[in-house]
Amino acid sequence: MRILSGMQPSGDVHLGNYLGALRQWVHGQGPESFYCVVDLHALTLEIAPDVLHEQTLNLFATLIAIGIDPDVSTVFVQSHVPYHAQLNWLLECVTSYGELSRMVAFKEKSERQEGYRVGLLTYPVLMVADILLYGATHVPVGDDQRQHLEITRDVAERFNHRYGETFIVPVGVQPRVAARVMDLQVPTRKMSKSVSSPLGTIYLYDEPADIERKIMKAVTDTDGEMRFDWEHKPGLANLLEIYASFSEESPQDVAARFTRYGDFKKELAELLVASLSPVRERYREVRADEARLRSQMVSGARKAIAVAEPVYERAARAMGLLQI
Ligand code: AMP
Ligand code: TRP
């Protein structure tokens, strides 16, 4: 099993990112795991250069603070490995305009931006390159990335069919609960970095008082019945999944232990504060030592290049590019 996943340094990490993706990264870590801060992807939407720079360091520090050991797994920044952009080009020539323009994420994001960047359309191809370069078999991501995983499989299979067996065809992996954490105020919309209500998103580094306030004010329903039911009680179901994800129970079992929403919310807030406070403290320490972060980036990039280079060369050769 070979694992690869990536996250954009495009904003503060929230509970959806943590439960949907990052906790799976921690569980899956080992010498066969590759975790990447995808800074090139962050350029597909408007982002100030100093913000991108800062957030790349922040996200790298977060990966270490949540428990990924860069001496065990390979942790690196996408743009430090030139083969991502290079393989991206080769794969753009194996992907059709039609399949990219049908991507849901593209449709949503392009509607929100006038004169959107071409990179927003070709975004999934770069993600395909990220994954295929490392021969990943498993890609831990949240539910919203399913379509991107499908196109990854399609492009890999098409390439293999056209140019001979070159790439491993990966599968996506989602956590059993909390694969899609919803906005606490609008539980029919996913918790997100870009569109969200101020009270709807819990950030990984929120202060305990903010976490409590957001949980206590989370939208539920008026029938007062503690039951796990996404269709009729999405607000409560979302909170139950969040709880179950931290306590490693099933949401149904959590629901059965409580009778009143208020008591449940209070315990959920305590559980979140107790689980996230150590991460917040570790983050402060890790982020403060920038020289160390930079040297970890250098060794991560070296390890990543050693794996990506031969895969890129094999793909280039297969397509007929002349080697010297
Ligand atoms: P993004 O915030 O789009 O950069 O996503 C980074 C990672 O977090 C991806 O693996 C997403 O699938 C995951 N993710 C983002 N939002 C959520 C959410 N609300 N619930 C679960 N996973 C999420
Ligand atoms: N598209 C992913 C997201 O928005 C980020 C990403 C880029 C990624 N490259 C990847 C995820 C490779 C998994 C594997 O979250």
Side-chain angles (χ1 to χ4, degrees):
M1 183 160 91
R2 171 69 69 85
I3 294 176
L4 178 129
S5 196
M7 192 170 289
Q8 299 186 59
S10 55
D12 292 337
V13 171
H14 57 67
L15 208 54
N17 301 136
Y18 184 59
L19 299 181
L22 293 180
R23 277 210 334 167
Q24 298 192 84
W25 297 16
V26 181
H27 288 147
Q29 73 169 318
E32 291 292 309
S33 299
F34 295 78
Y35 300 125
C36 179
V37 174
V38 292
D39 55 347
L40 297 174
H41 277 104
L43 294 172
T44 56
L45 294 175
E46 210 173 303
I47 185 165
D50 55 335
V51 172
L52 177 57
H53 179 113
E54 178 75 12
Q55 287 182 169
T56 300
L57 285 159
N58 292 353
L59 183 54
F60 197 89
T62 291
L63 299 185
I64 291 163
I66 61 171
I68 296 171
D69 181 346
D71 291 329
V72 176
S73 306
T74 301
V75 189
F76 65 103
V77 176
Q78 185 186 36
S79 68
H80 296 165
V81 180
Y83 302 105
H84 292 248
Q86 280 184 265
L87 184 62
N88 170 68
W89 180 258
L90 302 191
L91 298 179
E92 277 191 19
C93 299
V94 186
T95 310
S96 74
Y97 174 81
E99 63 191 330
L100 291 178
S101 58
R102 281 195 297 274
M103 291 281 127
V104 176
F106 166 70
K107 284 197 223 157
E108 284 174 2
K109 288 184 183 171
S110 58
E111 264 168 26
R112 292 203 296 266
Q113 287 239 323
E114 217 174 292
Y116 58 81
R117 304 173 180 196
V118 178
L120 197 61
L121 176 70
T122 57
Y123 176 112
V125 186
L126 181 58
M127 175 164 167
V128 176
D130 299 339
I131 297 170
L132 299 187
L133 271 179
Y134 297 88
T137 54
H138 293 78
V139 183
V141 278
D143 183 68
D144 59 351
Q145 295 298 311
R146 277 175 197 273
Q147 210 184 13
H148 288 155
L149 259 299
E150 274 167 37
I151 195 173
T152 304
R153 296 170 57 82
D154 289 346
V155 171
E157 279 166 5
R158 189 177 310 145
F159 191 103
N160 288 346
H161 182 72
R162 212 174 275 172
Y163 300 109
E165 280 304 313
T166 305
F167 294 124
I168 290 170
V169 182
V171 293
V173 250
Q174 273 87 39
R176 239 173 305 130
V177 288
R180 190 176 187 84
V181 178
M182 308 307 275
D183 187 292
L184 301 182
Q185 290 296 312
V186 191
T188 46
R189 185 170 79 195
K190 74 167 183 173
M191 190 179 279
S192 130
K193 290 173 188 161
S194 38
V195 218
S196 59
S197 34
L199 280 174
T201 307
I202 292 186
Y203 294 98
L204 207 54
Y205 305 131
D206 270 351
E207 293 296 328
D210 293 323
I211 295 178
E212 261 158 47
R213 193 163 46 92
K214 289 176 186 177
I215 292 293
M216 296 318 285
K217 294 204 164 154
V219 168
T220 48
D221 52 70
T222 49
D223 79 11
E225 202 188 324
M226 274 306 290
R227 185 159 51 81
F228 181 60
D229 179 348
W230 268 110
E231 195 187 337
H232 301 105
K233 301 161 79 70
L236 186 65
N238 190 36
L239 297 179
L240 285 166
E241 286 218 13
I242 295 172
Y243 192 113
S245 175
F246 279 104
S247 67
E248 296 183 4
E249 294 166 272
S250 75
Q252 288 86 350
D253 287 350
V254 177
R257 278 200 283 115
F258 293 92
T259 44
R260 291 157 46 138
Y261 290 1
D263 298 339
F264 165 63
K265 282 181 163 180
K266 212 158 154 274
E267 264 204 39
L268 172 59
E270 280 168 20
L271 179 61
L272 279 173
V273 168
S275 310
L276 297 181
S277 294
V279 181
R280 197 176 63 242
E281 278 156 33
R282 208 154 45 236
Y283 173 76
R284 286 201 187 117
E285 277 167 39
V286 172
R287 182 65 184 85
D289 193 348
E290 214 168 292
R292 182 142 190 250
L293 287 173
R294 282 174 188 273
S295 95
Q296 285 165 334
M297 284 178 180
V298 172
S299 44
R302 281 206 190 105
K303 285 200 275 175
I305 286 171
V307 176
E309 186 174 22
V311 177
Y312 168 76
E313 283 179 354
R314 201 179 329 131
R317 208 177 311 123
M319 289 183 92
L321 297 178
L322 185 74
Q323 314 275 303
I324 47 165

